[in-house]
Amino acid sequence: MAADQVNITIPTDSEDHQSVAYNAKIGAVYSPPGIKDLESLNNASVSSDSQSNLCNGSSAVSIAKANTLRKVPNSNTKKPNFTLTHLSKRPPVDIQFIDLKYSVPEGRRRGYKTILKGVNGKFKSGELTGIMGPSGAGKSTLMNILAGYKTSNLEGSVLINGKERSQRRFRKMSCYIMQDDCLSPHLSVMEAMTVSANLKIGKSVSHSDKKAIINEVLEILGLQDCLNTASVCLSGGQRKRLSIALELVNNPPVMFFDEPTSGLDSSSCFQCLCLLKSLARGGRTIICTIHQPSARLFEMFDNLYMLAEGQCIYRGPVTNLVPFLSSMGLNCPSYHNPADYVMEVACGEHGDYVQKLVVAVNAGRCNTALSKALEATGQKLIAKETMPMKPNGECLNLPNGSSKNPGLVPPTCTTSLLDSSENLTQDKHGFPTSGFHQFLVLFMRSVCIIFRDKTLTRLRLVAHFIIGVLIGAIFYGIGNNAAKVMSNAGCLFFTVMFMMFTAMMPTILTFPLEMSVFVREYLNYWYSLKAYYFAKTLADVPFQIILTTCYIVGVYFITDQPLDATRFFMFLLIAVLTALVSQSFGLLVGAAFNIESGVFLGPISTVPMVLFSGFFAKLEDIPFYFQWLPYLSYVKYSFEGTMVAIYGLNRSKLVCNRDYCHFKYPSAFLDEMSLKGDMLTYFIDIGVLSGLFVFLRIVAYFVLRIRLFQNR
C-alpha cells in the first residue's frame, strides 16, 4: 500500500467489535464516507461501488490518493426516507459561545470550584457535533449552559446567529433529550405522541394536520410497528427514538443530546447516530455529549469539541484531529481509535500536553493543521458530500425536503428549517398553546395514567376493600354498644390512620418517578408549571374521594355506627378531608425529596402527629410546654371531628348489655377524652383541615418550583 493511502476496515453489525487500520505516514488524511444524492441511491442501475449512504452500514471503505471510494452495502439495512413534508419551517441556528466561565460553590468557607475556564466555540447548523472529554471535564456543564439550563455563576456570552441570546425565546426553539429516557410508562407510543403534538403545536394547526405530523415522524423513526405498545415495554433503541420523536413534532432547529448512545448495543448505537446525522443534514444544529465512541461511530461526527480540565484542547472537523495531534508531536498509532487516543491525551497518559493543546487551540492552529499536513504530503482533501450550500456558506432554501431538482436534495434532508423571518433573539412570552388547553391535555393524561397505574388505583382499591372487610369483621356491631366504647374509639382512630397512610404513601412513591418526566417536558417548554400542578391536583382528588367513600360506607354500617344521615356525612367529610390533607403532605414530601428520603421521612414525620392526636394521651395530660404541639397535628383535628360526628351533638344513651356501663352516655366519654361535642368544634376541625389542604398544596407548588430552579 502506498504511504499516502489510508485503509479503513469497518466490520458489519454482527461482529463484536470494530477496528480501524491506519497504515499511513504522519500527515495522511482520513476522510469518512460521503453521502450521495437521493437520486443515485434510488437508481437500481448504479453499482454498489458508487453508493455511499452513511446510514446504509458498510463493511469496507478504502480511500486512496486517486480519490476513489469503495463501499459494500449491508443488504439487511433498510434505506430510510428522511423527508418530512408536514413539519413547520424553522430558521437555521448557529450557536457561538465566547469566554464561558462557570463555577460552583464548594461550601461556606471553601469558595468556588471552576468547572469551565474561558472556553470558546461555534456550533453550526447542518452539522453533527460531539462534545467529548474525561469525567469532570465539563461536558454536561457546557451543554447545560448552551441549552439555557444553567445561568447562575456564569460569565461570558452565548450568541444565536451572531446576536445575544434570549433565554425564553431560545428554549422554545430548542430541545434537550436526556441520557435517561424519561417517558410516561403507562402511555402508548401513539398516546405519548398525541399529547406532545397537542402541547407543542399551536391551535393554528388542525387535528388532521397534527395526525399527519405524528404519523410521518413515527414512520421516519421506525416506530410504526409499536404504535399501541406502552413505553415501558419498548426496547432501549425504541425508547431513544420515541424520546426524539416527542421533541421532533414542532421541528426544533437546535437539539441537545446527553449521551444518546448510553445503554445501547453497537447496532442500536449506529442506528441512533445515523438518525442524528440525518437530523443534522436537515438543517438542524445537533449537539451531543458522547463517551469514548468506537471508530465507526466517531467517524460519523462532523465536528468534535474536546474538553480537558474545563478547557478546550481541540475544536474542529473530526478529519482534522489526527493531523492536529501530529503537529503537536502526538502521533496516533496505527490500529488505534483516534477517539481513544485523544481521550488518553486528555487524561495525561502521554504526558502533560493539556496546556500546550489549549494554547494551540486558542491560537487557531486547529484550522491550519490539516492544510499543512496536506501540503506536506501533496494530497488533496477528499470532499464530503453534504447539504447543498450557497456560496456564502448558508443552507439552500429547499421547501421542506423537496425540490424541483431532485439531484440537489441530500438523502437525509428532513426539512428546510429556513423560514429566517422568525427572530430567535426576540423575547416572546407564552407557550404554543393556552394555559387552559395545557390544563385539559394534562388533566386527561393524568386521569389515564391513574386508571392504568396499578399502585395508584388497583392496589389501593384492593387494600381499601380488604382492610374494610377486616375492620368490619373485628369490630362488628360495636358502634352502639356502651360496653365497647373504647374499642369503637380505637376503630375510628384506626380509620383515620388508614386514610392518612393510604393517601400519603402512594404519592410519596410515585411522584418522584413522575418528576423526571415532568422536568424533561417542562425544560423543553411543553407547558407551564401551573397547568401541570393544577391538572395533577384535580386529577387525584376525585379518585381519592371515591376510594375513601367506598371504605367508609362499608366500615360505617358493618360496625353499626349511628344510622343518622347527618352523622354519616359528617364522618365521611372528615375522612375525605383527612385523605386529601395526607395526600397533599405526601405530595410535598415527594416534591422535596427523592424516593429513598421520602419513604423514610414521610412515616417518621407522622409519628409526632399521631402522638399528639389526643387518642394516646389526653390533651390535659400533656406537659404545659408541649401543649401547643397538638394544634400543629392535623390528625388531632381528624380524630376530634370523628368523635364529634359519632358521639357528639347530644347523642342519646347507648345500649348497655352489662350491669354497669361507665360510658352509657356519649357525653361522658367525650369528657373523659377532653373533647367537646358541639357543632362549633366540628366546624373548626373542618375549617382547619380545609385550610391545611390548601396550604400544603400551595407549599408543595413552591417547593416544586424551587427544586426546578435550584441548580440553575
Side-chain angles (χ1 to χ4, degrees):
M1 183 180 294
D4 55 356
Q5 180 177 344
V6 181
N7 183 34
I8 302 128
T9 301
I10 303 177
T12 58
D13 293 343
S14 60
E15 296 180 5
D16 296 333
H17 63 277
Q18 296 85 22
S19 63
V20 177
Y22 293 92
N23 298 324
K25 294 182 179 180
I26 298 175
V29 180
Y30 153 63
S31 177
I35 302 178
K36 291 292 184 184
D37 56 69
L38 183 62
E39 185 179 20
S40 63
L41 287 175
N42 295 329
N43 191 348
S45 63
V46 179
S47 65
S48 61
D49 292 343
S50 62
Q51 296 180 4
S52 55
N53 185 356
L54 182 60
C55 295
N56 218 16
S58 61
S59 60
V61 179
S62 178
I63 304 174
K65 182 178 179 179
N67 294 340
T68 59
L69 179 65
R70 182 177 181 273
K71 174 179 181 296
V72 179
N74 186 351
S75 59
N76 295 328
T77 306
K78 183 180 178 181
K79 290 182 288 188
N81 175 17
F82 287 104
T83 302
L84 296 173
T85 59
H86 292 84
L87 296 186
S88 59
K89 297 180 181 180
R90 307 297 285 273
V93 176
D94 291 340
I95 303 176
Q96 184 179 5
F97 49 99
I98 302 172
D99 197 25
L100 281 185
K101 298 178 182 179
Y102 180 77
S103 56
V104 293
E106 291 188 308
R108 294 182 178 180
R109 298 182 180 180
R110 299 176 62 184
Y112 287 82
K113 177 182 179 181
T114 302
I115 305 297
L116 295 179
K117 306 173 183 178
V119 295
N120 301 272
K122 185 175 184 179
F123 300 148
K124 298 181 180 180
S125 61
E127 296 180 345
L128 174 60
T129 302
I131 302 176
M132 287 182 57
S135 299
K139 304 185 300 294
S140 299
T141 300
L142 175 60
M143 196 164 66
N144 290 335
I145 292 173
L146 297 179
Y149 297 161
K150 290 186 180 294
T151 56
S152 59
N153 302 324
L154 177 64
E155 299 180 11
S157 58
V158 179
L159 305 180
I160 303 300
N161 291 340
K163 298 182 180 180
E164 193 69 27
R165 178 179 64 177
S166 167
Q167 290 283 359
R168 180 182 291 270
R169 184 64 179 157
F170 181 73
R171 280 182 55 195
K172 297 178 185 179
M173 303 295 292
S174 63
C175 69
Y176 193 120
I177 298 177
M178 303 177 181
Q179 178 178 352
D180 298 326
D181 302 315
C182 305
L183 303 172
S184 298
H186 304 290
L187 296 181
S188 66
V189 171
M190 178 56 73
E191 290 170 343
M193 289 294 294
T194 302
V195 170
S196 175
N198 289 332
L199 290 172
K200 302 190 71 174
I201 303 178
K203 292 183 177 180
S204 59
V205 180
S206 63
H207 178 73
S208 59
D209 290 338
K210 291 181 182 179
K211 191 76 173 179
I213 292 174
I214 293 173
N215 291 331
E216 189 175 47
V217 171
L218 292 178
E219 182 179 0
I220 292 297
L221 300 184
L223 295 172
Q224 284 285 359
D225 295 335
C226 51
L227 294 181
N228 299 319
T229 305
S231 301
V232 70
C233 299
L234 297 176
S235 65
Q238 290 173 333
R239 290 173 63 87
K240 184 67 66 176
R241 280 179 277 152
L242 178 57
S243 299
I244 298 174
L246 293 175
E247 304 299 338
L248 198 59
V249 293
N250 69 330
N251 203 10
V254 182
M255 303 183 75
F256 297 93
F257 294 84
D258 185 15
E259 298 282 356
T261 60
S262 176
L264 302 180
D265 58 81
S266 59
S267 178
S268 299
C269 289
F270 179 74
Q271 294 175 7
C272 180
L273 281 188
C274 280
L275 175 59
L276 300 188
K277 186 92 169 184
S278 66
L279 293 175
R281 288 296 179 264
R284 301 173 185 84
T285 304
I286 307 296
I287 305 170
C288 62
T289 60
I290 192 163
H291 183 67
Q292 287 188 305
S294 64
R296 186 188 187 193
L297 300 181
F298 184 65
E299 70 180 9
M300 297 178 65
F301 286 92
D302 297 312
N303 290 297
L304 172 67
Y305 196 91
M306 189 72 189
L307 288 170
E309 301 176 4
Q311 301 176 90
C312 179
I313 62 173
Y314 177 77
R315 61 172 185 260
V318 170
T319 53
N320 194 15
L321 176 62
V322 174
F324 170 71
L325 294 178
S326 299
S327 67
M328 299 298 297
L330 295 166
N331 299 319
C332 181
S334 301
Y335 305 98
H336 203 77
N337 183 359
D340 293 337
Y341 183 74
V342 73
M343 187 70 71
E344 294 169 3
V345 172
C347 295
E349 295 184 13
H350 298 278
D352 189 10
Y353 278 91
V354 173
Q355 293 303 322
K356 296 179 182 179
L357 293 174
V358 170
V359 173
V361 169
N362 293 334
R365 293 183 60 179
C366 289
N367 302 324
T368 60
L370 182 60
S371 60
K372 290 182 178 179
L374 290 173
E375 293 175 0
T377 57
Q379 298 185 54
K380 294 183 179 179
L381 178 63
I382 300 175
K384 294 192 302 178
E385 299 179 32
T386 58
M387 299 180 58
M389 304 294 288
K390 290 183 179 179
N392 59 1
E394 298 177 356
C395 299
L396 286 176
N397 198 354
L398 300 177
N400 283 340
S402 61
S403 175
K404 295 181 180 180
N405 186 357
L408 294 177
V409 183
T412 56
C413 184
T414 52
T415 179
S416 65
L417 304 174
L418 299 172
D419 186 7
S420 57
S421 60
E422 190 171 3
N423 185 7
L424 287 175
T425 60
Q426 184 178 356
D427 191 4
K428 295 182 180 179
H429 296 273
F431 291 84
T433 56
S434 63
F436 182 71
H437 181 75
Q438 297 172 24
F439 167 78
L440 289 180
V441 174
L442 295 173
F443 178 79
M444 296 303 297
R445 184 180 73 170
S446 299
V447 171
C448 179
I449 291 175
I450 292 175
F451 268 119
R452 297 178 183 178
D453 194 332
K454 296 180 180 180
T455 303
L456 284 177
T457 51
R458 301 177 190 177
L459 291 181
R460 290 167 69 185
L461 182 61
V462 171
H464 280 73
F465 176 77
I466 294 177
I467 298 300
V469 172
L470 181 63
I471 293 298
I474 295 176
F475 299 100
Y476 179 77
I478 67 171
N480 199 37
N481 192 338
K484 299 181 179 180
V485 171
M486 289 301 301
S487 296
N488 191 46
C491 172
L492 299 177
F493 182 76
F494 177 83
T495 297
V496 173
M497 293 281 294
F498 181 73
M499 292 295 102
M500 177 178 66
F501 280 102
T502 54
M504 178 180 63
M505 293 308 299
T507 307
I508 293 178
L509 291 173
T510 58
F511 189 73
L513 299 178
E514 297 178 15
M515 273 289 294
S516 59
V517 180
F518 162 67
V519 169
R520 175 184 64 82
E521 296 174 347
Y522 176 79
L523 293 180
N524 287 329
Y525 228 76
W526 286 32
Y527 45 74
S528 65
L529 175 60
K530 295 179 181 178
Y532 170 81
Y533 192 75
F534 287 144
K536 177 71 177 175
T537 298
L538 294 184
D540 289 339
V541 169
F543 288 94
Q544 193 60 57
I545 293 176
I546 293 173
L547 291 173
T548 303
T549 302
C550 293
Y551 175 84
I552 292 299
V553 169
V555 171
Y556 190 89
F557 293 104
I558 293 177
T559 57
D560 197 18
Q561 304 301 329
L563 298 178
D564 186 343
T566 302
R567 294 182 183 275
F568 170 76
F569 285 107
M570 289 173 63
F571 181 58
L572 177 62
L573 180 58
I574 287 291
V576 169
L577 286 176
T578 301
L580 293 179
V581 171
S582 300
Q583 188 184 49
S584 302
F585 184 75
L587 185 64
L588 174 61
V589 175
F593 304 98
N594 54 26
I595 296 180
E596 292 79 6
S597 301
V599 169
F600 174 76
L601 293 176
I604 289 298
S605 60
T606 60
V607 172
M609 298 182 186
V610 173
L611 184 61
F612 292 104
S613 62
F615 178 76
F616 295 103
K618 294 187 293 186
L619 300 181
E620 60 184 16
D621 295 337
I622 298 177
F624 70 93
Y625 45 84
F626 282 149
Q627 288 186 355
W628 56 275
L629 289 176
Y631 297 98
L632 301 180
S633 170
Y634 69 89
V635 183
K636 178 257 185 188
Y637 300 100
S638 299
F639 179 67
E640 186 177 60
T642 301
M643 291 295 101
V644 173
I646 300 299
Y647 291 109
L649 307 179
N650 297 319
R651 180 182 175 180
S652 59
K653 63 181 181 179
L654 305 176
V655 177
C656 182
N657 297 326
R658 299 179 182 178
D659 296 336
Y660 173 75
C661 296
H662 185 70
F663 298 122
K664 184 175 183 179
Y665 293 93
S667 57
F669 174 69
L670 294 178
D671 292 340
E672 179 68 19
M673 299 294 294
S674 302
L675 300 174
K676 298 180 180 179
D678 54 355
M679 202 65 179
L680 177 61
T681 302
Y682 180 81
F683 282 134
I684 292 176
D685 296 332
I686 293 295
V688 171
L689 291 176
S690 301
L692 282 175
F693 169 71
V694 176
F695 174 75
L696 289 175
R697 290 283 173 168
I698 294 176
V699 173
Y701 170 80
F702 284 103
V703 168
L704 192 60
R705 189 178 185 87
I706 293 172
R707 187 172 177 182
L708 282 176
F709 295 98
Q710 65 181 356
N711 294 325
R712 297 195 63 182

